[in-house]
Amino acid sequence: MAAAMPVALVVLLLLWPGGPVLAEAPRDSLREELVITPLPSGDVAATFQFRTRWDSELQREGVSHYRLFPKALGQLISKYSLRELHLSFTQGFWRTRYWGPPFLQAPSGAELWVWFQETVTDVDKSWKELSNILSGIFCASLNFIDSTNTVTPTASFKPLGLANDTDHYFLRYAVLPREVVCTENLTPWKKLLPCSSKAGLSVLLKADRLFHTSYHSQAVHIRPVCRNARCTSISWELRQTLSVVFDAFITGQGKKDWSLFRMFSRTLTEPCPLASESRVYVDITNYSQDNETLEVNPPPTTTYQDVILGTRRTYAVYDLLDTAMINNSRNLNLQLKWKKPPENGYIHYQPAQDRLQPHLLEMLIQLPANSVTKVSIQFERALLKWTEYTPDPNHGFYVSPSVLSALVPSVVAAKPVNWEESPLFNTLFPVSDGSSYFVRLYTEPLLVNLPTPDFSMPYNVICLTCTVVAVCYGSFYNLLTRTFHIEEPSTGGLAKRLANLIRRTRGVPPL
Amino acid sequence: MAATYCLRLASTALAALLLLSFGSLAASQIEDQAEQFFRSGHTNNWAVLVCTSRFWFNYRHVANTLSVYRSVKRLGIPDSHIVLMLADDMACNPRNPKPATVFSHKNMELNVYGDDVEVDYRSYEVTVENFLRVLTGRIPPSTPRSKRLLSDDRSNILIYMTGHGGNGFLKFQDSEEITNIELADAFEQMWQKRRYNELLFIIDTCQGASMYERFYSPNIMALASSQVGEDSLSHQPDPAIGVHLMDRYTFYVLEFLEEINPASQTNMNDLFQVCPKSLCVSTPGHRTDLFQRDPKNVLITDFFGSVRKVEITTETISLQQYSEIMESSYKEDQMDEELIEPLKYAEQLPVAQIIHQKPKLKDWHPPGGFILGLWALIIMVFFKTYGIKHMKFIF
């Protein structure tokens, strides 16, 4: 027993240094995730999120050992006593009408809002210095942030992380709409990632594909979060998010087949070894909509269902840490294919040629029931030559009305008629089968007001020019070329002589 | 006896001869060492690359600067030692048919923008004031490190400027100019403050030689793409992009630099021969009278490359166990857990709280000197005109 005790003690001693290491999670952890959402308009949205959680109280201990959490940001938090930092760079605008609600939208340009700790004495000075440092880190002109574009919101922008008390005096918000986002902002953003575009989801971040998009938004969010369920201590969370929307026509060449290779010109080769979780989610909620079915290839291992942004959504989950999904010999190239039943429509379009032929657009459409279908066409007005204008150009120009030929289902089936025996109003259109009747409708003609040139302009110009020439040049010419000599006034014309005659008879002195 | 004497003489003579020869060998070795010592006196390299033109049709100036940036990075100067100033954004310009790219050769052969670019001064920040502040080091204290030129007296600096210029000036962003006199004075400030060891100034603009006419500080070598009275011409347009992609001088300089590697021994005389009049249409010029060394002894990599003093050691260094660090601080956290009460997240839109919050009164400051003085004046004038007897109505 005595011998067993020291043995047990020794065994315990050997295990103890390793115990806490194996049983608890490491001090910082990385989770990465990519969400691919096919949008109603045929485009595809991809949202990357890289989240590093660091279980450390930066204010209490002097930290010198940084592992996954980037040192540049960690030093910022402790030097400027930040509570929260949110910085985003966006190019484009999220079109909610066509694309649905976004996960996280950001304004076009650069946006920076920061909550400082209550220990900061001069918030404005810290704010100015912080924006200068961030402009150096992210290669952006954030140094233009000063009192002219900074505000202190009083009601919104509450802290997104843990907060005891929200005195809005410690909040500052600024936005620079003119800021351009390009590769030089993406490069330092990528360098903050632990795996830094070498492994995991960040290999997909190639600038020449990410900027060829309708919407590009990259952001950095730092906030304190609960470390555990009891929420007695703080962990710092750094989230780096990047959202892009690939346009169906620019990137997809009009087809609605998407794959990781087509979007990013890369496939996923290996997971990030520093990540504790690395997943790809594909939104398969609109599994059958508009009679189109979405097929995802390779088939997912699991699905995830939840209420996101108010609606119930289903996601296909691909776990990159699962060796069955990805290993040294297999790349992961997700493919999304839309399978449509064959269309029974017809479109014929003949574009106009100036002064030769007009536009012709013919479409065969099947109208869905209980719905309103709107057909609109955009046209450009070309400039006319000045001889082609009518004498009354301010009246405008007419666009011919559109024609709608329709087969309308009859309420009551009609019998085929004998043309000679039935009345004339029934035999305008031939009827093949009685279940529907043919009708041809016309829309109103369109009167378009074109910009009218000022036809009196040449006349006015000629008058003015000639007047100026005559007055100025003519006067100078006369002054220079004519000589003036004094002339004796003439002694009188006939009228003067007659007048003098009458005056002499009156006895009045002559003129 | 005479024979031994003769032999001794011969041996001493031989010894003396051998000694002399050894001495001369040693002397030549010392001479070699001394020459190496004086060959390149710099310990670090910096580059300041400036493009001063705005607007899409000046795409070629951005491409010029980026191709020099690319060569300089390739030959070893790190981003932390390069100050890159681009006055407009061409890569992500809405008019660029291939976003995030800037090409230097037509048919889109070479993307000089790359995937790893760091632009320090961009868009509206490229001004004459910022450029001169970077050169002279007189920058506001809150400027981040990547925007500073932290050179010392052992730094070789490469300064490349491109844009639209004239006789004696260079235009910045279509709104201001820098004159050759200002530039020369800035370099003199740098010399006085010992901010460079040697400086290579390259300029690719019309009448570029006028910009280096006024230099008067030592150790400056200058190259320009055209003489006074000549225009620098652009190289070739690309029909897909729609603008001229590069200027001729920088295009041929880029071709020349693509053949340099960090170990090459090509010297400055070869750089002077780049782009003769037959290819460039303008006459490139150079100025070496202020430079102390002979240009044929100056390597291209002295300015375009970077000196890396690397010492390789075969010792092993043992690092501290990571688990020990983790362990000690983990114990601290466990102790405090029970004492603190749980924290909670803030409510994002507390409507009741917002409606009932009182607007914060701004801190009341007593009226300043001017207001006080004005009121004092008014009161004095009143009592002077109407007499002091009105005071009794107040008190």
Side-chain angles (χ1 to χ4, degrees), chain A residues 132 143 179-180 182 184 212, chain B residues 92 99 113 118 122 125 142 343:
Chain A
N132 275 320
N143 49 323
E179 198 61 27
V180 170
C182 209
E184 66 255 20
H212 206 47
Chain B
C92 290
Y113 198 60
E118 283 183 23
R122 49 183 208 161
E125 294 174 292
S142 53
L343 309 152

Side-chain angles (χ1 to χ4, degrees), chain A residues 5-22:
Chain A
M5 273 278 284
V7 167
L9 208 61
V10 163
V11 166
L12 204 63
L13 277 170
L14 281 173
L15 277 178
W16 187 50
V21 176
L22 294 171

Side-chain angles (χ1 to χ4, degrees), chain A residues 26-230:
Chain A
R27 290 297 297 283
D28 45 14
S29 62
L30 170 71
R31 283 175 58 178
E32 48 180 37
E33 149 187 307
L34 164 63
V35 180
I36 299 181
T37 317
L39 297 169
S41 56
D43 309 324
V44 154
T47 309
F48 290 85
Q49 277 206 52
F50 299 90
R51 185 254 217 177
T52 306
R53 203 188 81 173
W54 193 22
D55 301 333
S56 145
E57 303 257 358
L58 274 169
Q59 265 67 46
R60 276 199 289 166
E61 39 191 80
V63 180
S64 55
H65 183 81
Y66 290 88
R67 193 175 148 252
L68 295 179
F69 200 92
K71 179 173 162 192
L73 296 179
Q75 286 182 328
L76 269 187
I77 299 175
S78 40
K79 179 161 187 217
Y80 293 104
S81 306
L82 299 180
R83 190 155 50 155
E84 282 193 23
L85 181 130
H86 302 270
L87 171 62
S88 70
F89 295 100
T90 312
Q91 171 201 64
F93 184 67
W94 181 276
R95 311 212 166 261
T96 314
R97 196 148 51 110
Y98 301 114
W99 297 342
F103 287 121
L104 184 68
Q105 196 181 358
S108 217
E111 183 200 43
L112 174 67
W113 58 279
V114 172
W115 274 94
F116 289 91
Q117 300 272 358
E118 267 105 37
T119 52
V120 173
T121 43
D122 192 345
V123 178
D124 290 313
K125 181 160 161 292
S126 301
W127 169 249
K128 184 90 185 104
E129 286 178 17
L130 178 67
S131 43
N132 275 320
I133 302 269
L134 285 172
S135 92
I137 296 178
F138 289 100
C139 288
S141 323
L142 296 176
N143 49 323
F144 285 139
I145 291 179
D146 56 10
S147 61
T148 57
N149 46 27
T150 307
V151 289
T152 305
T154 54
S156 56
F157 287 100
K158 299 273 183 207
L160 289 174
L162 291 173
N164 297 339
D165 156 46
T166 58
D167 183 0
H168 279 253
Y169 174 68
F170 295 100
L171 166 66
R172 291 289 181 275
Y173 174 89
V175 74
L176 295 171
R178 183 63 169 101
E179 198 61 27
V180 170
V181 191
C182 209
T183 314
E184 66 255 20
N185 306 112
L186 186 64
T187 308
W189 189 93
K190 279 199 288 192
K191 286 186 182 163
L192 294 173
L193 297 172
C195 271
S196 175
S197 79
K198 303 270 193 306
L201 291 174
S202 40
V203 296
L204 298 177
L205 301 173
K206 287 295 159 202
D208 54 345
R209 305 302 294 164
L210 289 179
F211 287 102
H212 206 47
T213 50
S214 319
Y215 176 80
H216 173 106
S217 173
Q218 63 194 59
V220 170
H221 301 280
I222 302 177
R223 58 177 179 168
V225 292
C226 294
R227 194 179 297 193
N228 45 29
R230 271 174 308 168

Side-chain angles (χ1 to χ4, degrees), chain A residues 203 260-261 265-270 297-298 318 320 323-334:
Chain A
V203 296
L260 282 184
F261 188 77
S265 69
R266 292 276 180 302
T267 56
L268 292 167
T269 48
E270 52 168 338
N297 191 13
Y318 296 86
L320 295 184
T323 45
M325 190 64 48
I326 263 189
N327 49 36
N328 283 343
S329 52
R330 259 179 75 141
N331 285 5
L332 180 61
N333 182 17
L334 285 169

Side-chain angles (χ1 to χ4, degrees), chain A residues 428-473:
Chain A
L428 285 165
F429 294 109
V431 163
S432 50
D433 80 281
S435 63
S436 52
Y437 62 95
F438 180 77
V439 68
R440 185 169 281 149
L441 305 172
Y442 292 84
T443 63
E444 286 175 25
L446 183 61
L447 184 59
V448 179
N449 220 350
L450 289 179
T452 316
D454 181 6
F455 291 106
S456 64
M457 187 271 285
Y459 170 75
N460 290 338
V461 167
I462 292 170
C463 282
L464 189 67
T465 318
C466 291
T467 309
V468 167
V469 165
V471 169
C472 300
Y473 177 67

Side-chain angles (χ1 to χ4, degrees), chain A residues 311-503:
Chain A
T311 52
R312 176 158 290 278
R313 302 195 154 257
T314 316
Y315 292 89
V317 183
Y318 296 86
D319 192 349
L320 295 184
L321 293 172
D322 182 6
T323 45
M325 190 64 48
I326 263 189
N327 49 36
N328 283 343
S329 52
R330 259 179 75 141
N331 285 5
L332 180 61
N333 182 17
L334 285 169
Q335 280 162 337
L336 301 152
K337 278 211 223 332
W338 291 94
K339 285 213 287 243
K340 280 208 281 228
E343 270 181 19
N344 46 1
Y346 169 79
I347 291 186
H348 171 236
Y349 176 61
Q350 189 184 6
Q353 282 179 298
D354 282 351
R355 302 177 184 88
L356 274 183
Q357 64 188 21
H359 287 287
L360 170 66
L361 174 64
E362 277 186 273
M363 290 191 296
L364 176 68
I365 323 171
Q366 210 167 36
L367 298 174
N370 289 329
S371 62
V372 174
T373 305
K374 269 197 202 165
V375 176
S376 60
I377 178 169
Q378 279 182 332
F379 55 91
E380 272 180 10
R381 315 171 207 184
L383 287 177
L384 290 181
K385 301 185 183 166
W386 69 292
T387 46
E388 292 169 348
Y389 281 95
T390 54
D392 58 344
N394 291 302
H395 182 81
F397 290 85
Y398 283 93
V399 175
S400 49
S402 321
V403 187
L404 185 68
S405 317
L407 265 182
V408 184
S410 298
V411 176
V412 178
K415 300 192 302 287
V417 288
N418 187 352
W419 276 40
E420 294 308 313
E421 287 166 6
S422 55
L424 294 173
F425 60 77
N426 205 9
T427 55
L428 285 165
F429 294 109
V431 163
S432 50
D433 80 281
S435 63
S436 52
Y437 62 95
F438 180 77
V439 68
R440 185 169 281 149
L441 305 172
Y442 292 84
T443 63
E444 286 175 25
L446 183 61
L447 184 59
V448 179
N449 220 350
L450 289 179
T452 316
D454 181 6
F455 291 106
S456 64
M457 187 271 285
Y459 170 75
N460 290 338
V461 167
I462 292 170
C463 282
L464 189 67
T465 318
C466 291
T467 309
V468 167
V469 165
V471 169
C472 300
Y473 177 67
S475 315
F476 271 115
Y477 180 78
N478 288 337
L479 279 171
L480 291 172
T481 55
R482 299 204 183 177
T483 54
F484 294 94
H485 53 268
I486 300 175
E487 202 180 78
E488 294 298 316
S490 57
T491 42
L494 178 66
K496 200 162 170 199
R497 268 186 263 152
L498 276 174
N500 280 339
L501 205 68
I502 297 169
R503 288 173 83 97

